[in-house]
Amino acid sequence: MFGIATMAITAPLFFLIILRIDALRSMFYSLLLVSLSAYFIWGMESRAVAASSVQGMYKATYIVVILFGATILVHLLQQTKAIETIQQSFQSVSQDPRIYIVLIAFLFGSLIEGIAGFGTPVIIIGPLLVALGFKPLSAAALTLIANRTSSQFGAVGTPIFVGYSNVTEASTSYFQQLSFEIIILDALPTLLTPLALIYMYNRFFASEHKAMRPYIIWSLFIGLSYMLFSLLYVQFLGLEFVSILTPLTMIAIAVFTIKRGIFLPKSKCKAPLIYSRRQLIGAWSPYIVIVLLLGVTRLLPPVQEIIQSLLRIEHRSILGVEAIDGNLSIFYSPGIILMLASLIGLLIQRQPLRLYQAAIQQSFRKVGKAALTLYCTLILVQIFTNSFINNNNLPSMPQYVADVMIGQFGGVWLFVAPFLGLLGTFITGGATISTLTFASIQESVAIDLSLPTKLILALQMTGATTGTMVSINNVVTASAVLGLLGKEGQVLLKTIIPAVLYLVFTTVCAYLILFIFK
């Protein structure tokens, strides 16, 4: 039965990596296998399978709207030549692509994740890196790796507030304590992330290899500062603002150090800024509007409530199955913000509106295959998650997997805990859902094995956020935006080893914490 329970994990890996089949066919075949196994072997009710499929469509639609909006934005940036202006503005600070990775993928991406969450940087940052000269494969892989650190506090703390909402001591003060523990536990991975990004680029993607030594001190300084400011903000302002104020602070610090040559060789190859202030504002206006709109709609509760209620579709007890619901708030999707920001940016640049119409038509053609892949993926996820509705009196497949792992690996649970979180994100697509699924299980295991509960719960989150690097949803979305459809397996191969290394670093930190405070 364990093989059936893990099929939602093993089947996509087999088709994508071993057989190297494109993501659409891989996820379609995986969906068929999981659906048939859930019905015939697990004993899942046919209505539950059908209702889970509808529920998956609701969740996939939310992501598809984001993908559609991002594709419009990318098309307009190219058509208006704004992307060339943005490229030149970065080159006026530095022309070193290794610096871009940290400044754009890590720090600017963290800001977008902190406000919007749900892997939004994968859609926004990747095309920006391509415009700066990165190859699509490197842009996809590096963006996925860079997005990990901020995911645990993304969307104004959603993974914490929602992910841990079913633990015994769920409260604001407890979440605050957990957040502090997560940052401490994640200290080593956060410290090493900027350096790892530069190394990955240098080792696998650079056309010319440069010595790493000139970048070591600066990248470690950025990583250390990011961790320290995260601790400062979570302690004095609250966990909601960690992934917003920390990257904002660090962007300012990073630009200052780059321009002054602090911890870096002073750049001698900066390009002179050839565009006027008005041209720069026009080119950057879509991104400025994105940050402003995301901030207003996520940080102001009255506005947030109004936006969430507009064009909201709620479907209770789908097909009569009480445990399965679906909902969709169209206007709250970051995709709508991307579409609106694209239009406003077009008006600010005084470009003809026919470009917007052309962008919509182009996006419809480009998004189709990725949308089908996402629908297959999310339907599979919901069948996997809702498999507790069965006639064989079995727990859900995620619960069954966790129970078997507890029995087999209870003695090394400090390593297994983040790995379980990673598996959850790999399947469900998000650290929030992974933690919501497994947090109560992790809490029970910690109590049974006499391990520190907060430490184990923190390991769940660090593992879940590491899973965003290899999540099928994120990999497919990044591939679609960057024109890599059919090459999802290649992207996954570039991110899976760093993901495993992050788990190792996290486990080392956990054992150190346990040893010091035992």
Side-chain angles (χ1 to χ4, degrees), residues 33-68:
L33 287 174
V34 171
S35 301
L36 292 172
S37 299
Y39 179 74
F40 287 107
I41 300 176
W42 210 259
M44 193 172 178
E45 299 176 4
S46 57
R47 276 197 310 164
V49 173
S52 298
S53 300
V54 175
Q55 187 182 45
M57 290 178 187
Y58 273 103
K59 295 189 176 185
T61 301
Y62 181 85
I63 300 173
V64 169
V65 172
I66 298 175
L67 181 57
F68 183 70

PDB file of all heavy atoms in Angstrom, residues 33-68:
ATOM      1  N   LEU A  33      -2.854   7.243 -13.298  1.00  0.00           N
ATOM      2  CA  LEU A  33      -2.404   6.203 -12.373  1.00  0.00           C
ATOM      3  C   LEU A  33      -2.923   6.433 -10.960  1.00  0.00           C
ATOM      4  O   LEU A  33      -3.408   5.501 -10.302  1.00  0.00           O
ATOM      5  CB  LEU A  33      -0.872   6.149 -12.362  1.00  0.00           C
ATOM      6  CG  LEU A  33      -0.188   5.548 -13.593  1.00  0.00           C
ATOM      7  CD1 LEU A  33       1.320   5.709 -13.496  1.00  0.00           C
ATOM      8  CD2 LEU A  33      -0.544   4.068 -13.729  1.00  0.00           C
ATOM      9  N   VAL A  34      -2.823   7.669 -10.488  1.00  0.00           N
ATOM     10  CA  VAL A  34      -3.269   7.986  -9.129  1.00  0.00           C
ATOM     11  C   VAL A  34      -4.785   7.838  -9.001  1.00  0.00           C
ATOM     12  O   VAL A  34      -5.284   7.293  -8.011  1.00  0.00           O
ATOM     13  CB  VAL A  34      -2.817   9.407  -8.732  1.00  0.00           C
ATOM     14  CG1 VAL A  34      -3.457   9.834  -7.411  1.00  0.00           C
ATOM     15  CG2 VAL A  34      -1.299   9.463  -8.626  1.00  0.00           C
ATOM     16  N   SER A  35      -5.519   8.304 -10.001  1.00  0.00           N
ATOM     17  CA  SER A  35      -6.993   8.212  -9.957  1.00  0.00           C
ATOM     18  C   SER A  35      -7.453   6.760  -9.935  1.00  0.00           C
ATOM     19  O   SER A  35      -8.313   6.377  -9.117  1.00  0.00           O
ATOM     20  CB  SER A  35      -7.602   8.931 -11.171  1.00  0.00           C
ATOM     21  OG  SER A  35      -7.242  10.277 -11.201  1.00  0.00           O
ATOM     22  N   LEU A  36      -6.893   5.942 -10.812  1.00  0.00           N
ATOM     23  CA  LEU A  36      -7.284   4.524 -10.871  1.00  0.00           C
ATOM     24  C   LEU A  36      -6.892   3.795  -9.593  1.00  0.00           C
ATOM     25  O   LEU A  36      -7.662   2.981  -9.062  1.00  0.00           O
ATOM     26  CB  LEU A  36      -6.639   3.857 -12.091  1.00  0.00           C
ATOM     27  CG  LEU A  36      -7.154   4.333 -13.463  1.00  0.00           C
ATOM     28  CD1 LEU A  36      -6.292   3.744 -14.582  1.00  0.00           C
ATOM     29  CD2 LEU A  36      -8.616   3.958 -13.661  1.00  0.00           C
ATOM     30  N   SER A  37      -5.707   4.096  -9.088  1.00  0.00           N
ATOM     31  CA  SER A  37      -5.260   3.450  -7.854  1.00  0.00           C
ATOM     32  C   SER A  37      -6.113   3.883  -6.664  1.00  0.00           C
ATOM     33  O   SER A  37      -6.452   3.061  -5.797  1.00  0.00           O
ATOM     34  CB  SER A  37      -3.791   3.791  -7.585  1.00  0.00           C
ATOM     35  OG  SER A  37      -2.968   3.342  -8.629  1.00  0.00           O
ATOM     36  N   ALA A  38      -6.452   5.170  -6.612  1.00  0.00           N
ATOM     37  CA  ALA A  38      -7.279   5.673  -5.516  1.00  0.00           C
ATOM     38  C   ALA A  38      -8.654   5.005  -5.508  1.00  0.00           C
ATOM     39  O   ALA A  38      -9.187   4.653  -4.448  1.00  0.00           O
ATOM     40  CB  ALA A  38      -7.427   7.190  -5.628  1.00  0.00           C
ATOM     41  N   TYR A  39      -9.220   4.789  -6.694  1.00  0.00           N
ATOM     42  CA  TYR A  39     -10.568   4.209  -6.786  1.00  0.00           C
ATOM     43  C   TYR A  39     -10.555   2.699  -6.569  1.00  0.00           C
ATOM     44  O   TYR A  39     -11.309   2.165  -5.742  1.00  0.00           O
ATOM     45  CB  TYR A  39     -11.177   4.550  -8.144  1.00  0.00           C
ATOM     46  CG  TYR A  39     -12.566   3.963  -8.346  1.00  0.00           C
ATOM     47  CD1 TYR A  39     -13.668   4.503  -7.685  1.00  0.00           C
ATOM     48  CD2 TYR A  39     -12.759   2.873  -9.176  1.00  0.00           C
ATOM     49  CE1 TYR A  39     -14.935   3.965  -7.853  1.00  0.00           C
ATOM     50  CE2 TYR A  39     -14.024   2.326  -9.358  1.00  0.00           C
ATOM     51  CZ  TYR A  39     -15.105   2.871  -8.693  1.00  0.00           C
ATOM     52  OH  TYR A  39     -16.349   2.336  -8.857  1.00  0.00           O
ATOM     53  N   PHE A  40      -9.685   1.988  -7.288  1.00  0.00           N
ATOM     54  CA  PHE A  40      -9.730   0.520  -7.271  1.00  0.00           C
ATOM     55  C   PHE A  40      -8.986  -0.107  -6.095  1.00  0.00           C
ATOM     56  O   PHE A  40      -9.371  -1.168  -5.605  1.00  0.00           O
ATOM     57  CB  PHE A  40      -9.163  -0.032  -8.582  1.00  0.00           C
ATOM     58  CG  PHE A  40     -10.068   0.152  -9.763  1.00  0.00           C
ATOM     59  CD1 PHE A  40      -9.769   1.084 -10.736  1.00  0.00           C
ATOM     60  CD2 PHE A  40     -11.236  -0.596  -9.889  1.00  0.00           C
ATOM     61  CE1 PHE A  40     -10.608   1.269 -11.828  1.00  0.00           C
ATOM     62  CE2 PHE A  40     -12.082  -0.415 -10.983  1.00  0.00           C
ATOM     63  CZ  PHE A  40     -11.771   0.512 -11.952  1.00  0.00           C
ATOM     64  N   ILE A  41      -7.903   0.538  -5.630  1.00  0.00           N
ATOM     65  CA  ILE A  41      -7.083  -0.080  -4.582  1.00  0.00           C
ATOM     66  C   ILE A  41      -7.294   0.598  -3.230  1.00  0.00           C
ATOM     67  O   ILE A  41      -7.487  -0.075  -2.215  1.00  0.00           O
ATOM     68  CB  ILE A  41      -5.592  -0.051  -4.982  1.00  0.00           C
ATOM     69  CG1 ILE A  41      -5.407  -0.827  -6.302  1.00  0.00           C
ATOM     70  CG2 ILE A  41      -4.722  -0.651  -3.875  1.00  0.00           C
ATOM     71  CD1 ILE A  41      -4.006  -0.778  -6.847  1.00  0.00           C
ATOM     72  N   TRP A  42      -7.281   1.931  -3.222  1.00  0.00           N
ATOM     73  CA  TRP A  42      -7.466   2.647  -1.950  1.00  0.00           C
ATOM     74  C   TRP A  42      -8.921   2.640  -1.494  1.00  0.00           C
ATOM     75  O   TRP A  42      -9.211   2.841  -0.326  1.00  0.00           O
ATOM     76  CB  TRP A  42      -6.958   4.081  -2.096  1.00  0.00           C
ATOM     77  CG  TRP A  42      -6.445   4.657  -0.810  1.00  0.00           C
ATOM     78  CD1 TRP A  42      -7.073   5.520   0.038  1.00  0.00           C
ATOM     79  CD2 TRP A  42      -5.169   4.400  -0.223  1.00  0.00           C
ATOM     80  NE1 TRP A  42      -6.288   5.825   1.105  1.00  0.00           N
ATOM     81  CE2 TRP A  42      -5.096   5.141   0.969  1.00  0.00           C
ATOM     82  CE3 TRP A  42      -4.087   3.612  -0.599  1.00  0.00           C
ATOM     83  CZ2 TRP A  42      -3.983   5.122   1.800  1.00  0.00           C
ATOM     84  CZ3 TRP A  42      -2.975   3.586   0.224  1.00  0.00           C
ATOM     85  CH2 TRP A  42      -2.931   4.336   1.402  1.00  0.00           C
ATOM     86  N   GLY A  43      -9.821   2.397  -2.455  1.00  0.00           N
ATOM     87  CA  GLY A  43     -11.245   2.365  -2.110  1.00  0.00           C
ATOM     88  C   GLY A  43     -11.889   3.732  -2.021  1.00  0.00           C
ATOM     89  O   GLY A  43     -12.917   3.907  -1.358  1.00  0.00           O
ATOM     90  N   MET A  44     -11.287   4.703  -2.686  1.00  0.00           N
ATOM     91  CA  MET A  44     -11.841   6.063  -2.662  1.00  0.00           C
ATOM     92  C   MET A  44     -13.148   6.095  -3.445  1.00  0.00           C
ATOM     93  O   MET A  44     -13.267   5.512  -4.519  1.00  0.00           O
ATOM     94  CB  MET A  44     -10.830   7.039  -3.273  1.00  0.00           C
ATOM     95  CG  MET A  44     -11.147   8.491  -3.032  1.00  0.00           C
ATOM     96  SD  MET A  44      -9.769   9.553  -3.596  1.00  0.00           S
ATOM     97  CE  MET A  44     -10.454  11.169  -3.232  1.00  0.00           C
ATOM     98  N   GLU A  45     -14.128   6.772  -2.913  1.00  0.00           N
ATOM     99  CA  GLU A  45     -15.445   6.832  -3.546  1.00  0.00           C
ATOM    100  C   GLU A  45     -15.367   7.588  -4.861  1.00  0.00           C
ATOM    101  O   GLU A  45     -14.626   8.554  -5.002  1.00  0.00           O
ATOM    102  CB  GLU A  45     -16.453   7.505  -2.608  1.00  0.00           C
ATOM    103  CG  GLU A  45     -16.643   6.766  -1.287  1.00  0.00           C
ATOM    104  CD  GLU A  45     -17.577   7.514  -0.351  1.00  0.00           C
ATOM    105  OE1 GLU A  45     -18.136   8.562  -0.758  1.00  0.00           O
ATOM    106  OE2 GLU A  45     -17.756   7.056   0.794  1.00  0.00           O
ATOM    107  N   SER A  46     -16.171   7.150  -5.841  1.00  0.00           N
ATOM    108  CA  SER A  46     -16.145   7.778  -7.165  1.00  0.00           C
ATOM    109  C   SER A  46     -16.561   9.241  -7.096  1.00  0.00           C
ATOM    110  O   SER A  46     -15.984  10.096  -7.784  1.00  0.00           O
ATOM    111  CB  SER A  46     -17.059   7.016  -8.130  1.00  0.00           C
ATOM    112  OG  SER A  46     -18.388   6.956  -7.620  1.00  0.00           O
ATOM    113  N   ARG A  47     -17.550   9.545  -6.240  1.00  0.00           N
ATOM    114  CA  ARG A  47     -17.973  10.946  -6.099  1.00  0.00           C
ATOM    115  C   ARG A  47     -16.849  11.786  -5.509  1.00  0.00           C
ATOM    116  O   ARG A  47     -16.678  12.959  -5.851  1.00  0.00           O
ATOM    117  CB  ARG A  47     -19.207  11.048  -5.207  1.00  0.00           C
ATOM    118  CG  ARG A  47     -20.531  10.824  -5.925  1.00  0.00           C
ATOM    119  CD  ARG A  47     -21.696  11.335  -5.110  1.00  0.00           C
ATOM    120  NE  ARG A  47     -21.652  10.840  -3.738  1.00  0.00           N
ATOM    121  CZ  ARG A  47     -22.353  11.365  -2.736  1.00  0.00           C
ATOM    122  NH1 ARG A  47     -23.113  12.413  -2.944  1.00  0.00           N
ATOM    123  NH2 ARG A  47     -22.275  10.850  -1.526  1.00  0.00           N
ATOM    124  N   ALA A  48     -16.074  11.198  -4.603  1.00  0.00           N
ATOM    125  CA  ALA A  48     -14.962  11.930  -3.992  1.00  0.00           C
ATOM    126  C   ALA A  48     -13.870  12.204  -5.021  1.00  0.00           C
ATOM    127  O   ALA A  48     -13.257  13.277  -5.025  1.00  0.00           O
ATOM    128  CB  ALA A  48     -14.401  11.142  -2.817  1.00  0.00           C
ATOM    129  N   VAL A  49     -13.620  11.224  -5.900  1.00  0.00           N
ATOM    130  CA  VAL A  49     -12.630  11.429  -6.964  1.00  0.00           C
ATOM    131  C   VAL A  49     -13.083  12.558  -7.885  1.00  0.00           C
ATOM    132  O   VAL A  49     -12.294  13.451  -8.239  1.00  0.00           O
ATOM    133  CB  VAL A  49     -12.413  10.128  -7.773  1.00  0.00           C
ATOM    134  CG1 VAL A  49     -11.511  10.401  -8.983  1.00  0.00           C
ATOM    135  CG2 VAL A  49     -11.809   9.037  -6.901  1.00  0.00           C
ATOM    136  N   ALA A  50     -14.363  12.523  -8.274  1.00  0.00           N
ATOM    137  CA  ALA A  50     -14.905  13.556  -9.171  1.00  0.00           C
ATOM    138  C   ALA A  50     -14.912  14.925  -8.489  1.00  0.00           C
ATOM    139  O   ALA A  50     -14.530  15.943  -9.092  1.00  0.00           O
ATOM    140  CB  ALA A  50     -16.308  13.175  -9.619  1.00  0.00           C
ATOM    141  N   ALA A  51     -15.338  14.959  -7.217  1.00  0.00           N
ATOM    142  CA  ALA A  51     -15.386  16.228  -6.482  1.00  0.00           C
ATOM    143  C   ALA A  51     -13.980  16.798  -6.292  1.00  0.00           C
ATOM    144  O   ALA A  51     -13.768  18.014  -6.392  1.00  0.00           O
ATOM    145  CB  ALA A  51     -16.061  16.019  -5.132  1.00  0.00           C
ATOM    146  N   SER A  52     -13.011  15.922  -6.034  1.00  0.00           N
ATOM    147  CA  SER A  52     -11.619  16.365  -5.890  1.00  0.00           C
ATOM    148  C   SER A  52     -11.104  16.954  -7.197  1.00  0.00           C
ATOM    149  O   SER A  52     -10.324  17.916  -7.198  1.00  0.00           O
ATOM    150  CB  SER A  52     -10.730  15.193  -5.466  1.00  0.00           C
ATOM    151  OG  SER A  52     -11.132  14.683  -4.214  1.00  0.00           O
ATOM    152  N   SER A  53     -11.561  16.391  -8.306  1.00  0.00           N
ATOM    153  CA  SER A  53     -11.158  16.907  -9.622  1.00  0.00           C
ATOM    154  C   SER A  53     -11.675  18.318  -9.823  1.00  0.00           C
ATOM    155  O   SER A  53     -10.944  19.199 -10.307  1.00  0.00           O
ATOM    156  CB  SER A  53     -11.686  15.988 -10.727  1.00  0.00           C
ATOM    157  OG  SER A  53     -11.181  14.676 -10.578  1.00  0.00           O
ATOM    158  N   VAL A  54     -12.925  18.560  -9.427  1.00  0.00           N
ATOM    159  CA  VAL A  54     -13.496  19.908  -9.540  1.00  0.00           C
ATOM    160  C   VAL A  54     -12.752  20.875  -8.620  1.00  0.00           C
ATOM    161  O   VAL A  54     -12.438  22.013  -8.996  1.00  0.00           O
ATOM    162  CB  VAL A  54     -15.002  19.890  -9.205  1.00  0.00           C
ATOM    163  CG1 VAL A  54     -15.574  21.309  -9.211  1.00  0.00           C
ATOM    164  CG2 VAL A  54     -15.762  19.019 -10.190  1.00  0.00           C
ATOM    165  N   GLN A  55     -12.463  20.415  -7.406  1.00  0.00           N
ATOM    166  CA  GLN A  55     -11.725  21.246  -6.453  1.00  0.00           C
ATOM    167  C   GLN A  55     -10.349  21.611  -7.012  1.00  0.00           C
ATOM    168  O   GLN A  55      -9.885  22.754  -6.892  1.00  0.00           O
ATOM    169  CB  GLN A  55     -11.573  20.501  -5.128  1.00  0.00           C
ATOM    170  CG  GLN A  55     -10.970  21.339  -4.015  1.00  0.00           C
ATOM    171  CD  GLN A  55     -10.808  20.533  -2.738  1.00  0.00           C
ATOM    172  OE1 GLN A  55     -10.342  19.393  -2.763  1.00  0.00           O
ATOM    173  NE2 GLN A  55     -11.196  21.117  -1.610  1.00  0.00           N
ATOM    174  N   GLY A  56      -9.689  20.640  -7.649  1.00  0.00           N
ATOM    175  CA  GLY A  56      -8.397  20.906  -8.270  1.00  0.00           C
ATOM    176  C   GLY A  56      -8.494  21.933  -9.382  1.00  0.00           C
ATOM    177  O   GLY A  56      -7.589  22.753  -9.564  1.00  0.00           O
ATOM    178  N   MET A  57      -9.611  21.908 -10.127  1.00  0.00           N
ATOM    179  CA  MET A  57      -9.805  22.887 -11.202  1.00  0.00           C
ATOM    180  C   MET A  57      -9.920  24.303 -10.643  1.00  0.00           C
ATOM    181  O   MET A  57      -9.402  25.254 -11.239  1.00  0.00           O
ATOM    182  CB  MET A  57     -11.062  22.536 -11.994  1.00  0.00           C
ATOM    183  CG  MET A  57     -10.929  21.283 -12.825  1.00  0.00           C
ATOM    184  SD  MET A  57     -12.464  20.896 -13.704  1.00  0.00           S
ATOM    185  CE  MET A  57     -12.046  19.301 -14.404  1.00  0.00           C
ATOM    186  N   TYR A  58     -10.597  24.447  -9.494  1.00  0.00           N
ATOM    187  CA  TYR A  58     -10.686  25.761  -8.861  1.00  0.00           C
ATOM    188  C   TYR A  58      -9.291  26.289  -8.550  1.00  0.00           C
ATOM    189  O   TYR A  58      -8.955  27.444  -8.856  1.00  0.00           O
ATOM    190  CB  TYR A  58     -11.491  25.670  -7.552  1.00  0.00           C
ATOM    191  CG  TYR A  58     -12.988  25.813  -7.718  1.00  0.00           C
ATOM    192  CD1 TYR A  58     -13.821  24.703  -7.662  1.00  0.00           C
ATOM    193  CD2 TYR A  58     -13.568  27.058  -7.912  1.00  0.00           C
ATOM    194  CE1 TYR A  58     -15.196  24.816  -7.802  1.00  0.00           C
ATOM    195  CE2 TYR A  58     -14.947  27.202  -8.051  1.00  0.00           C
ATOM    196  CZ  TYR A  58     -15.748  26.067  -8.000  1.00  0.00           C
ATOM    197  OH  TYR A  58     -17.110  26.207  -8.142  1.00  0.00           O
ATOM    198  N   LYS A  59      -8.469  25.450  -7.929  1.00  0.00           N
ATOM    199  CA  LYS A  59      -7.137  25.886  -7.514  1.00  0.00           C
ATOM    200  C   LYS A  59      -6.224  26.134  -8.711  1.00  0.00           C
ATOM    201  O   LYS A  59      -5.408  27.057  -8.705  1.00  0.00           O
ATOM    202  CB  LYS A  59      -6.534  24.841  -6.575  1.00  0.00           C
ATOM    203  CG  LYS A  59      -7.306  24.724  -5.265  1.00  0.00           C
ATOM    204  CD  LYS A  59      -6.602  23.852  -4.251  1.00  0.00           C
ATOM    205  CE  LYS A  59      -7.379  23.858  -2.937  1.00  0.00           C
ATOM    206  NZ  LYS A  59      -6.679  23.113  -1.867  1.00  0.00           N
ATOM    207  N   ALA A  60      -6.372  25.306  -9.748  1.00  0.00           N
ATOM    208  CA  ALA A  60      -5.553  25.499 -10.942  1.00  0.00           C
ATOM    209  C   ALA A  60      -5.911  26.797 -11.655  1.00  0.00           C
ATOM    210  O   ALA A  60      -5.027  27.492 -12.174  1.00  0.00           O
ATOM    211  CB  ALA A  60      -5.729  24.310 -11.885  1.00  0.00           C
ATOM    212  N   THR A  61      -7.195  27.132 -11.668  1.00  0.00           N
ATOM    213  CA  THR A  61      -7.636  28.359 -12.334  1.00  0.00           C
ATOM    214  C   THR A  61      -6.979  29.582 -11.715  1.00  0.00           C
ATOM    215  O   THR A  61      -6.593  30.527 -12.415  1.00  0.00           O
ATOM    216  CB  THR A  61      -9.171  28.493 -12.276  1.00  0.00           C
ATOM    217  OG1 THR A  61      -9.759  27.350 -12.912  1.00  0.00           O
ATOM    218  CG2 THR A  61      -9.645  29.760 -12.966  1.00  0.00           C
ATOM    219  N   TYR A  62      -6.843  29.564 -10.392  1.00  0.00           N
ATOM    220  CA  TYR A  62      -6.188  30.674  -9.687  1.00  0.00           C
ATOM    221  C   TYR A  62      -4.769  30.875 -10.222  1.00  0.00           C
ATOM    222  O   TYR A  62      -4.342  32.004 -10.496  1.00  0.00           O
ATOM    223  CB  TYR A  62      -6.159  30.366  -8.186  1.00  0.00           C
ATOM    224  CG  TYR A  62      -5.535  31.453  -7.332  1.00  0.00           C
ATOM    225  CD1 TYR A  62      -6.284  32.533  -6.887  1.00  0.00           C
ATOM    226  CD2 TYR A  62      -4.184  31.408  -6.989  1.00  0.00           C
ATOM    227  CE1 TYR A  62      -5.724  33.533  -6.108  1.00  0.00           C
ATOM    228  CE2 TYR A  62      -3.609  32.395  -6.218  1.00  0.00           C
ATOM    229  CZ  TYR A  62      -4.385  33.448  -5.782  1.00  0.00           C
ATOM    230  OH  TYR A  62      -3.810  34.448  -5.021  1.00  0.00           O
ATOM    231  N   ILE A  63      -4.035  29.775 -10.396  1.00  0.00           N
ATOM    232  CA  ILE A  63      -2.655  29.856 -10.873  1.00  0.00           C
ATOM    233  C   ILE A  63      -2.607  30.247 -12.347  1.00  0.00           C
ATOM    234  O   ILE A  63      -1.746  31.028 -12.775  1.00  0.00           O
ATOM    235  CB  ILE A  63      -1.938  28.511 -10.652  1.00  0.00           C
ATOM    236  CG1 ILE A  63      -1.927  28.162  -9.167  1.00  0.00           C
ATOM    237  CG2 ILE A  63      -0.510  28.561 -11.190  1.00  0.00           C
ATOM    238  CD1 ILE A  63      -1.400  26.772  -8.861  1.00  0.00           C
ATOM    239  N   VAL A  64      -3.537  29.720 -13.130  1.00  0.00           N
ATOM    240  CA  VAL A  64      -3.564  30.016 -14.570  1.00  0.00           C
ATOM    241  C   VAL A  64      -3.797  31.508 -14.800  1.00  0.00           C
ATOM    242  O   VAL A  64      -3.212  32.107 -15.715  1.00  0.00           O
ATOM    243  CB  VAL A  64      -4.646  29.172 -15.275  1.00  0.00           C
ATOM    244  CG1 VAL A  64      -4.875  29.662 -16.701  1.00  0.00           C
ATOM    245  CG2 VAL A  64      -4.230  27.699 -15.290  1.00  0.00           C
ATOM    246  N   VAL A  65      -4.647  32.129 -13.986  1.00  0.00           N
ATOM    247  CA  VAL A  65      -4.890  33.572 -14.107  1.00  0.00           C
ATOM    248  C   VAL A  65      -3.589  34.344 -13.865  1.00  0.00           C
ATOM    249  O   VAL A  65      -3.281  35.315 -14.564  1.00  0.00           O
ATOM    250  CB  VAL A  65      -5.991  34.037 -13.127  1.00  0.00           C
ATOM    251  CG1 VAL A  65      -6.108  35.561 -13.107  1.00  0.00           C
ATOM    252  CG2 VAL A  65      -7.340  33.428 -13.512  1.00  0.00           C
ATOM    253  N   ILE A  66      -2.798  33.902 -12.872  1.00  0.00           N
ATOM    254  CA  ILE A  66      -1.498  34.536 -12.603  1.00  0.00           C
ATOM    255  C   ILE A  66      -0.574  34.375 -13.806  1.00  0.00           C
ATOM    256  O   ILE A  66       0.083  35.329 -14.244  1.00  0.00           O
ATOM    257  CB  ILE A  66      -0.844  33.925 -11.347  1.00  0.00           C
ATOM    258  CG1 ILE A  66      -1.705  34.171 -10.115  1.00  0.00           C
ATOM    259  CG2 ILE A  66       0.554  34.508 -11.138  1.00  0.00           C
ATOM    260  CD1 ILE A  66      -1.188  33.492  -8.858  1.00  0.00           C
ATOM    261  N   LEU A  67      -0.536  33.175 -14.343  1.00  0.00           N
ATOM    262  CA  LEU A  67       0.326  32.893 -15.489  1.00  0.00           C
ATOM    263  C   LEU A  67      -0.076  33.732 -16.697  1.00  0.00           C
ATOM    264  O   LEU A  67       0.781  34.276 -17.411  1.00  0.00           O
ATOM    265  CB  LEU A  67       0.241  31.408 -15.825  1.00  0.00           C
ATOM    266  CG  LEU A  67       1.097  30.896 -16.993  1.00  0.00           C
ATOM    267  CD1 LEU A  67       2.560  31.217 -16.772  1.00  0.00           C
ATOM    268  CD2 LEU A  67       0.902  29.399 -17.164  1.00  0.00           C
ATOM    269  N   PHE A  68      -1.371  33.870 -16.915  1.00  0.00           N
ATOM    270  CA  PHE A  68      -1.876  34.666 -18.032  1.00  0.00           C
ATOM    271  C   PHE A  68      -1.476  36.133 -17.870  1.00  0.00           C
ATOM    272  O   PHE A  68      -1.002  36.778 -18.813  1.00  0.00           O
ATOM    273  CB  PHE A  68      -3.400  34.527 -18.099  1.00  0.00           C
ATOM    274  CG  PHE A  68      -4.036  35.251 -19.253  1.00  0.00           C
ATOM    275  CD1 PHE A  68      -3.860  34.807 -20.561  1.00  0.00           C
ATOM    276  CD2 PHE A  68      -4.820  36.372 -19.041  1.00  0.00           C
ATOM    277  CE1 PHE A  68      -4.452  35.473 -21.627  1.00  0.00           C
ATOM    278  CE2 PHE A  68      -5.407  37.045 -20.091  1.00  0.00           C
ATOM    279  CZ  PHE A  68      -5.223  36.602 -21.396  1.00  0.00           C
TER     280      PHE A  68
END
